[in-house]
Amino acid sequence: MKQVVTFGEIMLRLSPPLHQRLSQAGSLDVTYGGGEANVAAALVHLGLPAAHVGCFPDNAVGEAAVQHFRSHGVDMSHCVFRGQRLGLYFLEVGAALRASRIVYDRYESAFAHLQPEWFAWDQILQNAQWLHWTGITPAVSASAAEAARQAIAAARRLGLTVSADVNYRRNLWQYGQRAQDVMPALVAGCDLVVCTEGDAEDLFGIRPEEGAENSFVSMSEQLMQRFPTIKQVIATRRQTQSASHERIKGIAYAEGRYHETDFFDINPVVDRIGGGDSFLSGFIYAQLSGRPLPDALGFATAASALKHTIAGDINLVSAAEVDHILAGNTFGRLLR
Amino acid sequence: MKQVVTFGEIMLRLSPPLHQRLSQAGSLDVTYGGGEANVAAALVHLGLPAAHVGCFPDNAVGEAAVQHFRSHGVDMSHCVFRGQRLGLYFLEVGAALRASRIVYDRYESAFAHLQPEWFAWDQILQNAQWLHWTGITPAVSASAAEAARQAIAAARRLGLTVSADVNYRRNLWQYGQRAQDVMPALVAGCDLVVCTEGDAEDLFGIRPEEGAENSFVSMSEQLMQRFPTIKQVIATRRQTQSASHERIKGIAYAEGRYHETDFFDINPVVDRIGGGDSFLSGFIYAQLSGRPLPDALGFATAASALKHTIAGDINLVSAAEVDHILAGNTFGRLLR
Amino acid sequence: MKQVVTFGEIMLRLSPPLHQRLSQAGSLDVTYGGGEANVAAALVHLGLPAAHVGCFPDNAVGEAAVQHFRSHGVDMSHCVFRGQRLGLYFLEVGAALRASRIVYDRYESAFAHLQPEWFAWDQILQNAQWLHWTGITPAVSASAAEAARQAIAAARRLGLTVSADVNYRRNLWQYGQRAQDVMPALVAGCDLVVCTEGDAEDLFGIRPEEGAENSFVSMSEQLMQRFPTIKQVIATRRQTQSASHERIKGIAYAEGRYHETDFFDINPVVDRIGGGDSFLSGFIYAQLSGRPLPDALGFATAASALKHTIAGDINLVSAAEVDHILAGNTFGRLLR
Amino acid sequence: MKQVVTFGEIMLRLSPPLHQRLSQAGSLDVTYGGGEANVAAALVHLGLPAAHVGCFPDNAVGEAAVQHFRSHGVDMSHCVFRGQRLGLYFLEVGAALRASRIVYDRYESAFAHLQPEWFAWDQILQNAQWLHWTGITPAVSASAAEAARQAIAAARRLGLTVSADVNYRRNLWQYGQRAQDVMPALVAGCDLVVCTEGDAEDLFGIRPEEGAENSFVSMSEQLMQRFPTIKQVIATRRQTQSASHERIKGIAYAEGRYHETDFFDINPVVDRIGGGDSFLSGFIYAQLSGRPLPDALGFATAASALKHTIAGDINLVSAAEVDHILAGNTFGRLLR
Amino acid sequence: MKQVVTFGEIMLRLSPPLHQRLSQAGSLDVTYGGGEANVAAALVHLGLPAAHVGCFPDNAVGEAAVQHFRSHGVDMSHCVFRGQRLGLYFLEVGAALRASRIVYDRYESAFAHLQPEWFAWDQILQNAQWLHWTGITPAVSASAAEAARQAIAAARRLGLTVSADVNYRRNLWQYGQRAQDVMPALVAGCDLVVCTEGDAEDLFGIRPEEGAENSFVSMSEQLMQRFPTIKQVIATRRQTQSASHERIKGIAYAEGRYHETDFFDINPVVDRIGGGDSFLSGFIYAQLSGRPLPDALGFATAASALKHTIAGDINLVSAAEVDHILAGNTFGRLLR
Amino acid sequence: MKQVVTFGEIMLRLSPPLHQRLSQAGSLDVTYGGGEANVAAALVHLGLPAAHVGCFPDNAVGEAAVQHFRSHGVDMSHCVFRGQRLGLYFLEVGAALRASRIVYDRYESAFAHLQPEWFAWDQILQNAQWLHWTGITPAVSASAAEAARQAIAAARRLGLTVSADVNYRRNLWQYGQRAQDVMPALVAGCDLVVCTEGDAEDLFGIRPEEGAENSFVSMSEQLMQRFPTIKQVIATRRQTQSASHERIKGIAYAEGRYHETDFFDINPVVDRIGGGDSFLSGFIYAQLSGRPLPDALGFATAASALKHTIAGDINLVSAAEVDHILAGNTFGRLLR
């Protein structure tokens, strides 16, 4: 089967254990993750071949990051080892009313300094059926944005499906260009996007029509008008009760119709990092498995709900486990 | 005071810490347990002398298992050290909507290969007042079933009370005989059984009468008719909210009357393995302490609720602690 | 800015990890705390200078306790190193319906054996604006009670504000004097007290008037009449759902008016030790920052709620983090 | 087989892991031990039945201590639960040239406050063949010394063998009597003592004769003359290279002859606490197994050497493992 | 570059941490390894592509084992998921004079129950240049021996180099055939063998000629005569000082000449499991890199020495790191 | 007493536990250190007041670093909180012949970006008697070099003693200036330097005279001639046996005389980071305590030897502990 290929930065994540604050920690739990690579790894666990493309420092830290994703079965053979450092972040895991908090330290990462010409996309994508990227990649540096542009162009040329999580983070855009100037050209190459009303307004100036019955539908329609290749817009709605208790549902707009799932209740949350990535990987898996959109949306949302119970960025669940949840087994009865 | 004696297999339990999946675990938490020995250990903590009878490989793993139960004050002097290996299982502890999951690896265990003649029951039981076994023992092998048969026969001969948790697990019966053929003769020697409607149907073909007001009562009456030595049938009802949130109550039928407790709410669940064993050990303790059945049922259920908050298989609580809960102190106020 | 000075015992706290019972623990988590020093440390984290005065054995354990508080920026330069041992306690952390349990081992501590003349209060307090003590100090020994008396006298002489958490614990008073005889003279030197109706009855024989609309108001009024220096009485109300789920609100009576906050919901509780200390430190901070009483009460309660999510005795939060909660951000949304 | 009975204090031992200093430790490793109980536990592992007699606070800490020794198969049924606290000590484990360091906190322990009449020695010893005590017990309190006196008297009356590790620790004797006044009457009831030249001089004023060829022989002869029941004097010689590297040999004097073993080299030392206790338990085991003195001395020394490689106070080795070392297998070849 | 392919069983390894005995362990460190797969993984770290072929239970344990080796970059795509359980063993890590000890529990493993026809060797080896197996594989079961035979036959047919570590372990051969009957036919297909004088005598009845100057040379010459395809015989000599201190050198016989390296001193040993596998993987790497035999032998021995300092079965070192040692940098100077 | 003030960068240090390689680590041990601040912290433990001056990002990581040194009693009140990130490094701890390895990630640290005008040296040093810096500070950035220059100038102006560890690390100098151009002007302000022959040649082109009897003396004499303020040159000699076994001695040249100590043997090494810093802090302490140079050199070397047995960067020992070693107690006898 052909691969799903993801492109983006992978970072070292360092977390104090057991809800400690950073100043209390005598050790930090280690994992590696990235919004794009997490999708690739989750897809492998669901049962699809996937490759991730990135750039790493040629040292023990970069090697450990690559090894981590290789252990999940992701094809890392197109990754480049050049540059000084792996971006990293510190995650304080909150509890109850205390929010989790991230301190980023991703300055001057190897990924931000990549050169677009290091990636021969036609070759990388020759065995692929799908390309996935996120709005974080073009935010990191001009060269990363250019590499994303070339990847998307190659994907379209080769007939791949292209998806994006537009994921606008204002603080990230610091290399001199504005998201509003960079993103449209990239989104213009997508078939499927994860996008909320907030993202649409911030990035594209698209606001739901006043009085629209369903703001998501209104936004999605405008987005599709602006970017005619887009066929599906999906997102999650969260009813965050506390740092320890989350409720999510999935929503989608496609072919003129709006879909939504019931809410899934997650209490306690074990790890909420990667919740969005698992939603998208579930959706990609379900679509490539030929499931109709409402089923795919349910599968994606159940997958994301499960992810919240798993430590680390990556959704370590099989398709059977997601289907088990979808079949209504959300009560955690012991499986022998 | 005379002992309660239990007979059954003890296994090594290996669990990834902190809700990890097995593939994430750099170490596995270790404990030892078994549905019968857990009852013996809990009884000692409640204040009654208890002995456990089993069979272990004569190596460091078998020795560690025995030492574990000896630390809880269980008399392990009747255990036999012969055979190749200790059965074991891997327990992934779920969270929220992700169920806990057990992977068994109990093939060819020392217990399964025991020879009935290794156990001189008349001598083992000479200082005992109660024998407890479960439906797991006869499921493991023909020789284990035969040993159970001999133990029950000796117990009756010596005038002991005999209890069983019938606990039907279809997957376990793999040595060529059917539970339906083996269990009746064993249950026929019991005074008290833990049995649900499902167990009764699977094992004895007993179905609650159509239109029965109370299916448990209907089942219990038929069971007592079939097996006249049985004087009490008890069970727990669970309202499992999630892998992290359990609600339980106790039910009983005896002397023509049905009893039930209120629900106990357990959120979060620390460890649900051994919940049933702690129910039964609480019931045995309360009966041997002369408490009337409704009180014994309440004690058993409170003990089981407490067990869900304690790591490992064994209910490490004193009778005073159970009574503290029974007195309505379920709100966890700090005890100084 | 002038210091807040606290006076009291610091103990070594030893806790089995992960809800284990003491007999299960292969290691014990270590921290150090005391009802007064916790206030000092929390104040430093909020942004005020604070000093703690105590007495420690001149050995590695005493040194470690002092170092712990020094790491939080507390001025420990007035502490005395004399005596045999540091008091300590074992804390079993409960879960759900199983209460947390403390086993004290504070006999013959260095603090209990302090000599009042070791503390030159006029010098210690010369750079201070506030003195805080609790009802635990005079309970420990006659000499500790006398030292507290001298500290309060010096504070009044120097014009400091004096606060106390009266905190009556019957079991502690074992050196031959009764709390009812010792406490009034000390409380008579206070401007602000934390005191519940139960404390007032036990210590001062004050009972809310029959039929009083608000028992706290009735008690406070009588208390202020008895001890005219007292201008403010504050307390928390707890709706303890379980060992894992707490609800708290703050109440206050001052200048003839009663105030209360909404309830804060804390689920799960990470560590409830020090919840009262964080309430008071929040209140002191807010008052010294010039916030009006209702705001100060809200700040104190939000600070205490946050404390329940933080491991250890000390409230490791900044004023900005408390204000973030006060502004309604109690849903734990991830902070990037 | 008849029991070996030991009498003495058991303490909680708290150690920073991995050579940390106390001020660095976020957790402390927990074990329980005592110079007499360690002998009992080691004997059980070697294959002899043993009981320990002591006094413990009736709380979770005392219970945990008893449970620890019960797990090793020691009969703890004669232990008394009365008093306030379990004595404890902090052990910083050194490395290389940094020595390990103990901070004691054994003031006012339950054991020190025991009453001699709590122990019915004739009954306790009725099933015993050997009584073992150490010089630490009479050092702790007058009542402990008296209880030891009664135990020894009963043992002699009943014809048991009595052994002692005289183990003089000056700092311990703080209750108003001098070791020199108390110990002789106790040692006068012994058949076998562990005693070095230093102990003999400090306790009994016995000095090797000037110019004696072998100071140990000279001391032993005088000791036997003074205390005619003593038939054997044994000790270890240490060539301590560093906190991580120990060399030991065993020496003995009996029936007019001196014996010594070769040195055993232990590098690295895993845990040197209990090294002497394991020597003595090895000797007792070997004697009761009928081995001649030189063999018993070798067995004792090899047992002690092995102990240095095992974490905790107790020598967790079988007799076969000691014999394996004695047969020359000191090179650590992997055993499959 | 073409792959090195290894064939053999992978087991779960469970070790008490920090030199604990099994009965002390509250958790067990987890890793996965096998004498053949360890070679494949080490080769990938050295820089060569490698694949491993094995058989695993289709459950979470089997999946974790495969994932472990995938993380090291080993091609696991030819592995089969059928059978009941993963073989496992418990490893107590000794220290100083206490030997490390293994308790095997590999009964009825998925690998032992493999069917030869599940492996299409011509296809598996089509992209390979080298096949490696060990004497453990044919010891496990008749079907594993047959699969090994077919693999070797295919390798020879396809012109691959074939190597074996003959590794005779008497206890393993329990399925009814004798090593002496099975091994010759397999060894007859090898170009390179690891074989000691002991192995040669046990397996092939080959004894060094009386009075031979060099017993290894004498044995090797006879071995080559018996099995003419064998061109090189290599082995390590160990001077085991203790469980913590190892000395090794490499020896080889080829083209009529004997070679040996100096001894490498390893003190302390971090983990000695896999020492032989790392020797062989170093040798294969060096040979495939075109190094002459004496250099290859040095490289292999230095690689093995380094392995002893690395936790787990697999030699996590690069070729540059081995060469750094070979260049004389054995003094552990800090690398910045 | 007046302070010793140090100026330099503090970094986060992340180490895999138990000799793991970075790719194996599921968690990383955390500490904070810097060649200058380590001197300040060690001095406080020895008994002298010390302050450290540095620059930290205004986030939780910077706060944790400052808190760490505050816990050791270092006055951190002159530190500045500005900039993006805390420099960090990964430390793989080797064993035996495998060297420890550092991967630096200190790019664009807050310290490197400091502005000299942020530090009012005359005020910072007004209560100081000694200023210490190292060659790492001017290597980091031009502004850090300028700040060091200003600090040294102020120190000389105020009559402080100035010391430096010249510590040349070629790789660090990457901001466009050469160490050879920058360092001389800074060293010209020093009274005491740690400098080896290699440093002297690399930094100042000073080579021992051909045929010099003692190369260190020859180098020192030339250094003093070039920089007339320098009165003492000191260094350590290492005989590194392996990553686990170190031997060190101290050497010094002053007032025309050469001094050296005996070698101290450290086996095993617990943590060698900070070995040089502890040497210098020992020397400063001894000098300020009025000890003559040979004694000071012995004290410094013994302090450094002890440091190798302590985890983390900082030498957590008292002066009494160093003197205990100096008195010949290097055999690690247990201290009770």
Side-chain angles (χ1 to χ4, degrees), chain C residues 43-65:
Chain C
L43 282 168
V44 175
H45 283 280
L46 289 170
L48 288 182
H52 179 73
V53 181
C55 186
F56 300 85
D58 189 12
N59 62 23
V61 187
E63 177 56 39

Side-chain angles (χ1 to χ4, degrees), chain B residues 12 14 22-23 25-30 59-61 64 67 84-86 88 90 92 101 103 105 107-108, chain E residues 12 14 22-23 25-30 32 59-61 64 67 84-86 88 90 92 101 103 105 107-108:
Chain B
L12 167 61
L14 297 165
L22 201 52
S23 64
S27 70
L28 295 171
D29 290 339
V30 170
N59 62 23
V61 186
Q67 184 165 321
Q84 301 273 356
R85 66 181 300 256
L86 194 73
L88 56 90
F90 301 89
E92 282 189 344
R101 194 173 61 154
V103 177
D105 177 2
Y107 313 97
E108 308 293 333
Chain E
L12 166 61
L14 296 165
L22 203 51
S23 64
S27 69
L28 295 171
D29 291 337
V30 170
Y32 300 87
N59 62 24
V61 186
Q67 185 166 319
Q84 300 274 358
R85 65 183 299 258
L86 193 72
L88 56 89
F90 300 90
E92 282 190 344
R101 195 172 61 156
V103 177
D105 178 2
Y107 314 95
E108 307 294 333

